[in-house]
Structures are given as C-alpha cells and as structure tokens.
Amino acid sequence: VKSKAKTAAAESGTAGLTQAQMVALREKFDLDGDQTLGLAEFKGLARQVAQLQGHAAPSYAILEDIFDEFDKDFTGKMGSEEFNWAYATLQLKVKEEAAKEASRLMKVSLNRSGQKLGLTVDSKTLEIKDIISKSVVAEWNLANPTKPLQVGHRIKKVNGKPGIQGYNEELLNKSVEVLNLEVVAGEKFQKVPRFYFV
C-alpha cells in the first residue's frame, strides 16, 4: 500500500510539499484540534482538493475506502503519516473520478415553452429524483430512447452554468425556455422506466 502511495505522491505533486506545508494542511481541516483527521474532516479536505482541481469530489464510498486504507490502527482517526499518504491518493482519485465522469457525460436539450418540465431534483446534490409522465422530459425520452434523462442522473451544467448556479439561474427560472443540460449517471442510476418505450 505504501509503495502505491509513494507513486501517488510523486504523480500528484504531494511529494514536493514540505513537512511544514503538510502539517499546515492537516491542521486546517482538523476541526476538533486533536492532531488527527476523522472521516468527516477528511471529506472536507476532499471537497477543497476537488474544487482546486475544478472537479466534483469523489463519492462518499470512495472517500471511505481511501480513509479505511490508510487508517491502519482502525481508530477512525488518521494521524500525520497516514494523512500524508492518503492526501496523495486523494489527489489522484479526484483526477481519476473526473476522467470517468467526463466519459459518462450526456448532453440533453429541452424546450419547455410553457410546458411542465417534469423533473424533481435534489437541490443540494442536483440528482434527479423523479420524472413525471406527460412532461417535456418524458417527451425527450420518447424521442431519444438511446440517451434518456433518468432518475439517478446528476446535473452538472445548465446552459453552460455549473452546478447550483445553473440550477438556480436557469432551471428554476421559468422564463428560460431552452435548457441545455449536461448530466452524468449518479450512484443511484436506474434503468429507463418501461413506459418511456410504450
């Protein structure tokens, strides 16, 4: 494991950080000041790494796997040496997940023209929770059976605006009729409901 982590450190650039820089980085996310990082604190670090790289943070399951891999004493806490290797691995994981996500990206063009859009979206994760029949989205799915918009997809951009900004300024704005969405399959991706093909 450590040999893999060393490779990760070299490839991610972490190997070039001084010990003082690594300590300062760990202390920034050590919210309870106990000189270690718990899983929740590690997730905060992951969000910043992803933001700096311009990507979404890896899923909770991936972060948990990284944390468990380096939490060698099974305390639920990550010490300084464990943190150094985990941070390097985290940087590479963010890049890997971003590349995977890009390969799953799908573009959807909708024109609501005063009609009901037909989407229920989680306002925090931007994951599609429900699609109603007799809606603009249902019509898109009937016309595009090879790339339907589905429950479990996550909205990445709306009319070129990223994430929450696109959701608030474009998707929720009923005066905006044309919606160009970029979506990716989320963790709860489901198969297309049968009624779309009837």
Side-chain angles (χ1 to χ4, degrees):
V1 171
K2 186 171 286 188
S3 63
K4 291 182 180 178
K6 286 181 178 179
T7 301
E11 293 179 3
S12 68
T14 307
L17 295 180
T18 66
Q19 184 61 29
Q21 288 173 321
M22 292 300 292
V23 169
L25 185 64
R26 187 181 75 246
E27 289 178 348
K28 179 178 179 180
F29 293 93
D30 179 17
L31 302 180
D32 58 10
D34 66 353
Q35 304 301 308
T36 65
L37 290 186
L39 179 57
E41 293 167 325
F42 187 64
K43 285 176 64 182
L45 171 66
R47 283 192 293 271
Q48 175 160 314
V49 171
Q51 185 177 19
L52 289 173
Q53 293 187 9
H55 305 307
S59 69
Y60 185 85
I62 290 174
L63 292 177
E64 200 168 34
D65 286 344
I66 295 173
F67 189 89
D68 289 344
E69 182 179 0
F70 291 96
D71 178 23
K72 293 303 181 185
D73 48 8
F74 305 103
T75 60
K77 294 285 187 177
M78 191 178 291
S80 58
E81 184 176 358
E82 295 169 325
F83 167 76
N84 291 357
W85 299 126
Y87 179 64
T89 301
L90 174 61
Q91 287 186 301
L92 287 186
K93 278 293 183 183
V94 168
K95 291 180 180 178
E96 288 173 5
E97 289 304 303
K100 289 179 184 177
E101 190 170 87
S103 69
R104 303 196 313 268
L105 191 69
M106 184 176 77
K107 296 184 178 182
V108 175
S109 184
L110 306 171
N111 190 331
R112 51 183 157 196
S113 299
Q115 301 177 67
K116 185 175 289 186
L117 189 60
L119 285 179
T120 299
V121 179
D122 186 307
S123 60
K124 292 183 179 179
T125 65
L126 301 187
E127 181 178 315
I128 296 173
K129 295 297 186 180
D130 191 27
I131 297 173
I132 66 171
S133 58
K134 297 181 181 179
S135 65
V136 173
V137 173
E139 289 177 5
W140 163 271
N141 288 345
L142 283 170
N144 299 273
T146 60
K147 55 173 187 177
L149 200 56
Q150 301 182 48
V151 170
H153 275 142
R154 284 185 296 110
I155 298 172
K156 300 296 294 178
K157 289 184 179 181
V158 183
N159 292 340
K161 296 181 180 180
I164 298 297
Q165 180 187 4
Y167 173 73
N168 289 330
E169 296 179 7
E170 302 292 320
L171 195 68
L172 295 183
N173 185 351
K174 292 183 179 179
S175 67
V176 178
E177 294 190 348
V178 177
L179 298 169
N180 294 306
L181 308 180
E182 292 184 19
V183 301
V184 293
E187 291 180 6
K188 297 178 181 178
F189 180 77
Q190 298 179 6
K191 292 183 179 179
V192 187
R194 290 182 180 178
F195 70 83
Y196 288 145
F197 296 107
V198 173

